[in-house]
Amino acid sequence: MKTALIFGITGQDGSFLAELLLAKGYDVHGVIRRASTFNTDRIDAVYRDPHENRATMHLHYGDMSDGTGLRRVIAHVQPDEIYNLAAQSHVRVSFDQAEYTADVVATGTLRALEAVRDHMKAGGKPVRFYQAGSSEMFGAAPPPQNESTPFYPRSPYAVSKVAAHWYAVNYREAYGLFVSNGILFNHESERRGETFVTRKITRALGRIKLGMQDKLYLGNLDARRDWGYAGDYVEAMWMMLQASRPDDYVVATGESHSVLEFLELAGEYSGLDWKKHVETDARYFRPSEVDHLRGDSSKARRELGWSPKIGFPALVRLMVDYDLDLAKQERTLAEAGHRVVFRGSAHA
Ligand code: NDP
Ligand code: GDR
């Protein structure tokens, strides 16, 4: 049985990856942050109380800003594979929290790599390391973007991901570590954080449809993204660590759509006269925008045998369906007298 350690297990991708690895028979360990409220919603379905003695997933407290803690977790878990998915992952927020984003995303990756380097030097078993890179690293470079496209990052988040990418390459070259960079284009799901534009849209449409919300405020509708399904993308992460040698891979659908196109399709599918409900708010524009991302993932398709299964219309539909159901649950609770608070549109 292989042992995997996931930094960022409570996030969208962490939860899908944990499920994938559990289904493959892995012993799965995850690092979670201490918070004053529970932050394990996305993994609660696969978590078992360790006291019940049938635990398949183990959680450890840790933070990418705390290198000593990361070392301790690695020494304790003795993983075969580490997936570094932890990040302050919101591009807009990174302009407000630039230093923090750099510390977690760039230096946090360096801390993890240093820990792996020392762990192996001290005789620990060989570790394969996945680094969660991003299409944001390409930024202003024109599409289609592939592994040879020069990086041109346009936000503190993207600059930090570029630094993390090069740390990973350097540790591969300098110390011979098995480190692979996935350069993943946007991937969404019903578990997507509610302040990313796709989920913000589907969440709002569900609530508007049920009369629980009137307006949806958005920023730049012209930006184009290559949107895939998160469940498909975590498979590519796993495949990268099963390859015979470490490398860097773009993971994308090869198709791009504007934010407006996403909105139109989701609005039509919801059966709403959505134009009456959508307004623009300058606060959601970015100081410097990434206009057009469309990935060329032929290397991952050729060398890993990866391909996406869920296309754009199916992705939009599954998110709208899920959020319509969620809105129904909220309305039922509200009708039963519960206080249902929704902050969705207020942030980012
Ligand atoms: P999420 O924002 O959903 O999840 C991020 C995870 O990182 C959460 O588990 C979060 O914990 C954790 N985290 C945040 N800060 C810290 C910290 N200081 N120490 C330890 N853990 C921390 O992101 P996604 O799941 O969407 O993305 C996964 C990774 O892939 C990220 O690195 C992201 O930047 C990158 N990426 C994502 C893409 C996408 O389209 N989704 C595309 C390309 C790259 P908590 O739950 O407590 O907040
Ligand atoms: P992105 O995703 O920045 O591509 O980063 P996001 O969904 O936040 O933005 C996509 C595009 O939509 C525009 N937009 C808005 N965005 C948000 N969040 N809120 C709005 O109201 C809004 N209105 C318009 C944005 O300007 C942008 O052009 C995501 C994250 O998951 C990163 O961690 C990851 O690395 C990249 O995808 C690939």
Side-chain angles (χ1 to χ4, degrees):
M1 185 199 277
K2 277 194 198 169
T3 301
L5 175 61
I6 305 175
F7 300 135
I9 195 168
T10 55
Q12 171 189 252
D13 291 6
S15 67
F16 279 104
L17 181 64
E19 287 172 19
L20 179 80
L21 296 178
L22 287 170
K24 290 183 183 297
Y26 275 68
D27 190 21
V28 175
H29 293 252
V31 168
I32 62 167
R33 298 195 285 174
R34 194 270 157 184
S36 67
T37 51
F38 289 113
N39 58 0
T40 54
D41 281 12
R42 292 188 179 100
I43 50 172
D44 284 346
V46 286
Y47 184 71
R48 299 280 173 276
D49 186 331
H51 302 102
E52 291 175 15
N53 205 20
R54 55 190 183 105
T56 46
M57 193 170 75
H58 317 269
L59 300 178
H60 312 268
Y61 282 114
D63 196 297
M64 300 312 286
S65 62
D66 175 24
T68 318
L70 298 184
R71 281 164 187 270
R72 219 173 278 137
V73 173
I74 290 170
H76 173 72
V77 171
Q78 294 282 325
D80 299 288
E81 296 171 8
I82 294 180
Y83 295 85
N84 179 26
L85 313 182
Q88 187 305 92
S89 73
H90 204 287
V91 174
R92 174 69 193 81
V93 173
S94 77
F95 288 97
D96 300 331
Q97 292 194 292
E99 241 180 273
Y100 172 75
T101 302
D103 189 43
V104 171
V105 175
T107 311
T109 302
L110 177 63
R111 290 184 187 106
L113 289 166
E114 278 281 88
V116 169
R117 171 189 169 199
D118 289 349
H119 173 72
M120 286 179 51
K121 199 168 172 209
K125 71 176 166 182
V127 179
R128 293 185 169 203
F129 190 98
Y130 172 82
Q131 169 54 22
S134 164
S135 51
E136 283 293 300
M137 301 189 302
F138 296 124
Q145 294 96 358
N146 66 21
E147 295 80 4
S148 316
T149 306
F151 295 141
Y152 188 160
R154 298 267 289 168
S155 64
Y157 166 81
V159 173
S160 304
K161 282 287 184 190
V162 170
H165 174 95
W166 285 116
Y167 283 138
V169 171
N170 182 238
Y171 275 58
R172 186 165 73 207
E173 293 174 353
Y175 307 115
L177 299 184
F178 192 112
V179 182
S180 288
N181 287 295
I183 307 177
L184 272 53
F185 282 60
N186 297 55
H187 44 278
E188 320 293 309
S189 73
E190 67 284 11
R191 299 183 202 169
R192 185 58 143 152
E194 296 187 16
T195 59
F196 297 98
V197 76
T198 54
R199 189 79 200 286
K200 184 171 167 181
I201 290 171
T202 59
R203 196 75 174 92
L205 292 177
R207 290 175 53 85
I208 290 167
K209 175 99 178 168
L210 291 191
M212 302 178 74
Q213 184 176 331
D214 184 36
K215 294 287 180 202
L216 164 62
Y217 296 95
L218 292 170
N220 176 19
L221 302 185
D222 297 327
R224 299 184 73 84
R225 291 290 182 274
D226 180 333
W227 279 298
Y229 180 62
D232 290 342
Y233 284 44
V234 298
E235 287 195 11
M237 298 176 186
W238 176 78
M239 286 171 164
M240 283 178 221
L241 294 199
Q242 314 315 308
S244 54
R245 58 181 186 87
D247 208 341
D248 306 327
Y249 296 94
V250 159
V251 177
T253 70
E255 195 180 303
S256 72
H257 297 271
S258 67
V259 174
L260 180 62
E261 284 165 22
F262 189 101
L263 178 62
E264 280 170 346
L265 195 58
E268 277 162 27
Y269 184 63
S270 309
L272 273 174
D273 189 0
W274 58 270
K275 285 188 182 144
K276 289 203 310 211
H277 301 278
V278 177
E279 287 186 18
T280 302
D281 185 335
R283 87 172 79 174
Y284 302 123
F285 284 81
R286 288 146 191 210
S288 45
E289 175 64 288
V290 170
D291 295 325
H292 193 174
L293 295 173
R294 180 165 57 82
D296 166 10
S297 60
S298 33
K299 180 178 172 186
R301 291 171 197 241
R302 192 176 59 246
E303 292 187 9
L304 302 175
W306 178 84
S307 62
K309 297 184 190 78
I310 296 189
F312 184 69
L315 172 68
V316 173
R317 280 198 300 272
L318 80 82
M319 292 180 70
V320 171
D321 284 340
Y322 182 89
D323 281 333
L324 191 55
D325 272 354
L326 193 56
K328 283 181 189 154
Q329 290 170 29
E330 283 180 338
R331 193 172 67 178
T332 305
L333 282 173
E335 284 169 357
H338 290 273
R339 191 165 155 262
V340 178
V341 181
F342 180 72
R343 296 178 202 84
S345 292
H347 304 290

